[in-house]
Amino acid sequence: MPELALTPRNTLPADAAAAALAGRVWRPDVAGPAVVVLRGDELVDITAAFATMRDLCETADPAAALRAAKGQPIGTLADILANTPPSRRDATKPWLLAPLDLQAVKAAGVTFAVSMLERVIEEKARGNPAAAATIREEIGKLIGDDLSKLKPGSPEAMHLKDVLIKQGAWSQYLEVGIGPDAEIFTKAPPMSAVGTGVDAGLHPASTWNNPEPEIVLIVASTGAIVGATLGNDVNLRDVEGRSALLLGKAKDNNAAAAVGPFIRFFDAGFSLDHVRRTTVTLTVEGEDGFRLEGSSSIAKISRDPADLAAQMLNRNHQYPDGAALYLGTMFAPIKDRDTPGGGFTHKYGDIVTIAAPELGALVNCMRRTDECEPWTFGASHLMRNLAKRGLL
C-alpha cells in the first residue's frame, strides 16, 4: 500500500543547497503560520522580517532578501515533514503548509496541444468517459495530434480555425488553444491552497477526474516573475465536460489546489529560462496496485510562460498581492484503470507525486473534498493573528 513517506531527500530540489527556498509552516505555539527559509537542515522562521509570503515576493530581489533575513530556527525539515501528514500529526508540533498566502491563485488552461485535444474530447463526450476513445480517434484524424509548432494567434492558426469551422469541428477549447487569447481562470481563493504531505480533494459527485502536474509561477504585483513551485491543478473531467460554464465546480473545491513544497526564487542559478526547460513528472500509486507515470515538458508549451503571466497581470488586470499562476499541463492520463476503454480516473487513497529536479516534489493523498481538512484560516484570520503577535 502506498504511503506518504516524506523526507528531505525526496522533497527538495537536487541542488537544494544552492537554492533560495521559502515556505510556510504552521506553528501551534503561536496558533498561526510562519514564513520560513531553509538553511542547512533547519527551517528558520523569518516572519519578523516578512510577515507574509506576499511581502517577501514583493521585494526587489526576493532571493537576496531571503538569504539576508534573520530569524529563529523552529525545527529540522525532516521532523516538520514527518509531522505534516494529517493521519499521524502531533498537533502540538509544527507542520508544513502551502507556500502561498495572500496571492491570487490563477491557472492557465489549454496551453499544450495534447491537453487541448483532451479538452475538446471532454466537450464532445459530454462528461462520458466511455465515449472518449472513439472521439479521440475522430478528432485526431481531423487535426492531428502535434500542434506544438503552431503559434497561437498566428495566420497559420487562424487558417486552421477557418478550416475546422467549415468542417463543423470547432470548439471553445480550440479557441483558447490556438487563438490569440489565453485561458486564464481563478483556480482557488487566496489562503486556500494545500501543500505537500496532506490530502488533496476530489468532489464526491465526480466519477471521471485526474491530476494535472504543472509548474506554478510566482508573480509580483508589478508583473515581475520572481520564482516558481509545483502544483496539482486537480480537475473533474466529467463536470467540465458537461459544460465549460461549470469550470468553477470542476476546479475550485476544498483542497483541490495543491502547491509546493517550497517557492524557489530566481537568482543566478535558477531563472525563467530554467523553468522553460523543465520537465515535470507525475506518478500515481493506488491502493489497488495501480501505477501510472507520465511527464510534462515545459519546452512543448504553446504559449511562453512570460506571455501567460503578462496576459494574467497587466494594466487591465491588477493583483496588489501578486499571484501564483499554474502554467497548464500536457499530460492528461488516459491509461485504462479498471476496464478496457474505461480510461483513467482517481480512486480515493491514490498517492500523487509531482516532481521536477529543480523544484523538488509535491506529494498528496487523494480524498473526498468533504473528508479533507476543512479550510478555516483565511485572510482575516491571518491579519488578526499577525496583529496579535505584534507583526503588523
Side-chain angles (χ1 to χ4, degrees):
M1 182 180 296
E3 294 183 355
L4 283 170
L6 304 181
T7 66
R9 184 171 183 176
N10 64 21
T11 297
L12 293 174
D15 60 341
L21 298 173
R24 293 171 66 246
V25 165
W26 184 267
R27 288 187 54 178
D29 57 330
V30 297
V35 179
V36 298
V37 57
L38 178 65
R39 289 182 178 154
D41 297 330
E42 290 188 311
L43 290 176
V44 176
D45 183 348
I46 58 168
T47 316
F50 299 102
T52 66
M53 185 65 77
R54 175 265 179 205
D55 294 333
L56 177 57
C57 294
E58 290 294 309
T59 62
D61 186 343
L66 183 68
R67 290 186 169 108
K70 293 181 169 58
Q72 169 193 0
I74 56 173
T76 67
L77 175 59
D79 288 344
I80 290 173
L81 280 173
N83 195 49
T84 295
S87 61
R88 54 178 183 269
R89 180 182 299 159
D90 180 345
T92 68
K93 297 178 180 179
W95 62 88
L96 204 64
L97 300 171
L100 307 176
D101 47 39
L102 297 177
Q103 296 92 342
V105 186
K106 308 291 286 188
V110 201
T111 55
F112 290 83
V114 173
S115 62
M116 177 181 70
L117 296 181
E118 286 303 312
R119 292 293 182 270
V120 175
I121 291 161
E122 285 173 11
E123 180 183 40
K124 303 296 183 185
R126 299 295 182 188
N128 177 15
T134 299
I135 296 170
R136 187 176 293 111
E137 182 178 356
E138 293 172 354
I139 295 294
K141 288 178 181 178
L142 282 174
I143 64 177
D145 57 4
D146 185 10
L147 300 176
S148 59
K149 296 181 180 179
L150 190 67
K151 181 176 175 58
S154 67
E156 294 80 7
M158 294 303 95
H159 174 70
L160 176 58
K161 174 180 178 179
D162 291 340
V163 170
L164 292 170
I165 289 174
K166 290 176 182 178
Q167 295 186 3
W170 187 246
S171 160
Q172 59 198 332
Y173 292 108
L174 288 167
E175 176 64 49
V176 296
I178 66 176
D181 299 314
E183 179 192 18
I184 306 288
F185 60 92
T186 297
K187 169 62 180 176
M191 300 288 295
S192 68
V194 297
T196 196
V198 300
D199 298 335
L202 295 165
H203 196 292
S206 174
T207 58
W208 185 23
N209 45 67
N210 64 265
E212 293 190 357
E214 306 188 17
I215 285 183
V216 179
L217 294 183
I218 307 302
V219 187
S221 64
T222 60
I225 304 170
V226 298
T229 186
L230 296 168
N232 185 354
D233 182 14
V234 179
N235 184 42
L236 310 182
R237 298 193 69 179
D238 46 0
V239 174
E240 186 179 357
R242 297 202 325 264
S243 171
L245 298 180
L246 292 173
L247 182 65
K249 185 169 185 176
K251 293 288 190 177
D252 181 9
N253 297 291
N254 184 42
V259 181
F262 296 95
I263 292 174
R264 181 168 186 176
F265 288 111
F266 292 162
D267 57 15
F270 180 67
S271 68
L272 187 58
D273 283 338
H274 290 86
V275 170
R276 292 184 174 109
R277 298 191 296 266
T278 297
T279 294
V280 179
T281 60
L282 167 72
T283 305
V284 178
E285 299 173 279
E287 294 180 340
D288 56 354
F290 176 85
R291 183 179 176 88
L292 179 144
E293 295 179 337
S295 64
S296 183
S297 173
I298 301 300
K300 295 183 179 180
I301 200 167
S302 300
R303 300 180 192 269
D304 187 74
D307 174 58
L308 290 170
Q311 290 207 38
M312 174 192 70
L313 197 157
N314 49 61
R315 293 189 66 182
N316 299 306
H317 301 278
Q318 283 112 33
Y319 299 97
D321 292 315
L325 176 64
Y326 287 76
L327 288 180
T329 180
M330 68 170 285
F331 186 73
I334 58 174
K335 177 181 177 181
D336 291 342
R337 184 162 193 175
D338 291 319
T339 58
F344 170 85
T345 195
H346 270 305
K347 292 187 178 183
Y348 301 125
D350 281 353
I351 302 296
V352 177
T353 301
I354 294 169
E358 304 88 345
L359 295 169
L362 171 67
V363 186
N364 300 98
C365 181
M366 306 308 299
R367 301 290 185 196
R368 290 171 54 121
T369 49
D370 55 355
E371 293 178 350
C372 293
E373 290 183 285
W375 176 37
T376 60
F377 195 90
S380 64
H381 304 84
L382 175 62
M383 294 300 104
R384 285 192 289 268
N385 179 267
L386 291 173
K388 185 177 179 180
R389 292 156 61 185
L391 297 171
L392 288 183

